[in-house]
Amino acid sequence: MKITQITFTRFVAAMAIVISHFNKDVFLYKIPYLSEVFQRANVGVSYFFILSGFIMIVAYHKKEKIGYADYYRNRFARIYPLYVVGLLLLWFTREEKFVFTDILLYLFGLQSWIPGKAMVLNFPGWSISVEFLFYLLFPFLYNYLYSKKNKSIWVITILIWITTQIFSNLYMNSGFYRGPHTESHDFITYFPLLHINEFLIGNLAGLFFIKNHQQKDFDFSISLIFIAILLCLIFVPLYFHNGLMGVLFIPLIILISRNNGVLTKVFALKPLEYLGEISYAIYITHIPVLYILRKLIWKKYIFDIDVMFGIYMVFLLLCSALFYQIIESPAREFLRKIKLK
């Protein structure tokens, strides 16, 4: 089952994160209220985690059992080649030498487990470190719980989600949290176990969708939820990064997936679908691409910050399309053909 219209939403989330990592002097941060959205756009990663759990169920729901070797090979083929490319691109832009232990942490996807190390090297890779945990667990969850229609996972997931939200918001307002760029910040923001709730509730959303996937026109409902998301990011002083926004992301994902209105027709347009396809390349390479552009152009020529932003957006999209065509897609097909016993 392929849900074409949901693919474009990955691009929207990826671009929000990209903009949040760009210079805060760009014009978007001078627009009242909109600047608040981009300053909290790291919730786009939360959307990725929830959507990942949702897509896993949709992709495998017809199987009685998932083969571990084939599953891990497919997941490896899907994300690892560009994950390494992001590291190599960064290597070309850094004058200081990489620390060998940091390279090992990155390559094995362990950086997010160690507070103070989550941002090593190509720092968007922290979320891939978290995804590794999701992918490791999913076949076991599916084979022993989801495929057997074990209802206990619903109770367990809800309890994990509630516990994570209470802990995260209490921690952020406690003496243990010492602010950005500290180990305490790395722990509450990047530690994989604090994100497992997002993948699990995404799984449950997928199970619900499989049983209730009749198509209707949900354009109005989708628009209301999107507006609610923006208003929460602007006005609600809570910590959304660890899955709290799931209360809005889950109905948004389900309704978009079930929608047959105008929004679906627009989102399913081939150019927009393609942007969704290259969204992983956009996300995992946007920092090294930014550094490369700074090194090649901005150190030699002076541009207005908004002009620089426009150049960066065009360059990033072109590079991401290139990475998708010549690296991500071919490597994925090649690795998936390797037979594992």
Side-chain angles (χ1 to χ4, degrees):
M1 183 186 297
K2 184 178 181 181
I3 310 171
T4 304
Q5 65 267 29
I6 205 70
T7 305
F8 176 66
T9 67
R10 290 161 43 195
F11 171 77
V12 175
M15 291 306 297
I17 294 168
V18 168
I19 294 171
S20 75
H21 290 160
F22 195 76
N23 192 301
K24 299 300 186 290
D25 291 326
V26 75
F27 73 97
L28 291 172
Y29 284 91
K30 298 175 183 177
I31 301 174
Y33 302 117
L34 187 60
S35 62
E36 300 293 329
V37 174
F38 287 118
Q39 287 175 8
R40 304 180 78 179
N42 57 0
V43 296
V45 179
S46 182
Y47 181 80
F48 286 148
F49 291 158
I50 295 171
L51 184 61
S52 178
F54 178 83
I55 294 299
M56 285 295 103
I57 292 294
V58 173
Y60 287 94
H61 76 277
K62 291 185 178 180
K63 292 182 176 292
E64 292 185 7
K65 185 177 182 180
I66 295 177
Y68 295 100
D70 284 342
Y71 175 82
Y72 292 136
R73 179 201 59 198
N74 289 338
R75 291 296 92 204
F76 180 88
R78 172 68 180 86
I79 66 172
Y80 203 75
L82 276 187
Y83 180 70
V84 174
V85 167
L87 177 64
L88 294 176
L89 289 173
L90 192 68
W91 180 77
F92 286 111
T93 67
R94 291 208 8 188
E95 296 179 359
E96 64 271 24
K97 294 182 179 180
F98 285 177
V99 178
F100 181 70
T101 53
D102 289 347
I103 296 175
L104 290 181
L105 286 175
Y106 185 91
L107 291 178
F108 284 97
L110 297 173
Q111 66 269 43
S112 293
W113 291 92
I114 305 174
K117 289 293 185 179
M119 297 284 99
V120 296
L121 307 178
N122 184 28
F123 66 78
W126 78 266
S127 65
I128 308 305
S129 173
V130 175
E131 290 274 3
F132 286 163
L133 173 64
F134 300 162
Y135 295 157
L136 179 66
L137 294 178
F138 181 72
F140 296 94
L141 293 170
Y142 188 88
N143 291 340
Y144 295 101
L145 294 172
Y146 300 142
S147 65
K148 299 182 184 302
K149 296 180 173 55
N150 191 317
K151 301 298 183 182
S152 64
I153 189 62
W154 290 79
V155 176
I156 293 170
T157 296
I158 292 171
L159 289 176
I160 291 175
W161 183 84
I162 292 174
T163 301
T164 302
Q165 305 322 308
I166 294 174
F167 174 79
S168 296
N169 280 279
L170 288 177
Y171 186 91
M172 288 293 293
N173 293 286
S174 73
F176 294 103
Y177 180 69
R178 300 183 180 277
H181 313 299
T182 65
E183 290 186 1
S184 64
H185 180 79
D186 275 17
F187 168 70
I188 196 62
T189 307
Y190 310 120
F191 194 63
L193 293 182
L194 292 175
H195 291 285
I196 195 70
N197 74 93
E198 295 162 299
F199 186 72
L200 292 176
I201 62 175
N203 288 163
L204 298 190
L207 293 173
F208 176 85
F209 171 75
I210 293 303
K211 292 183 178 180
N212 304 272
H213 61 269
Q214 297 85 357
Q215 299 291 300
K216 295 182 180 180
D217 184 347
F218 291 111
D219 281 349
F220 183 70
S221 299
I222 292 170
S223 300
L224 286 180
I225 293 174
F226 184 72
I227 291 172
I229 290 171
L230 296 180
L231 291 176
C232 283
L233 294 179
I234 294 170
F235 296 111
V236 180
L238 292 175
Y239 188 67
F240 293 115
H241 187 57
N242 289 355
L244 182 56
M245 195 60 80
V247 296
L248 293 174
F249 284 160
I250 285 179
L252 182 69
I253 290 170
I254 292 174
L255 291 179
I256 290 176
S257 300
R258 294 181 59 190
N259 188 41
N260 63 2
V262 175
L263 285 176
T264 287
K265 293 179 175 64
V266 173
F267 286 5
L269 291 173
K270 288 299 180 181
L272 298 189
E273 182 185 1
Y274 185 75
L275 289 175
E277 293 290 350
I278 67 172
S279 61
Y280 175 55
I282 290 171
Y283 174 74
I284 201 64
T285 66
H286 76 274
I287 292 300
V289 166
L290 178 61
Y291 291 170
I292 289 172
L293 206 56
R294 284 176 177 171
K295 188 173 184 179
L296 294 179
I297 299 178
W298 297 340
K299 283 189 176 181
K300 299 179 181 179
Y301 307 98
I302 298 176
F303 290 108
D304 177 83
I305 189 66
D306 295 331
V307 174
M308 291 166 57
F309 176 71
I311 294 172
Y312 173 53
M313 288 293 104
V314 172
F315 190 69
L316 177 61
L317 291 178
L318 292 175
C319 288
S320 299
L322 184 65
F323 294 147
Y324 175 77
Q325 294 294 149
I326 70 173
I327 298 174
E328 181 181 352
S329 187
R332 183 169 57 200
E333 293 305 314
F334 173 77
L335 291 171
R336 283 179 175 175
K337 291 177 182 178
I338 299 175
K339 298 296 181 183
L340 300 176
K341 294 183 179 180

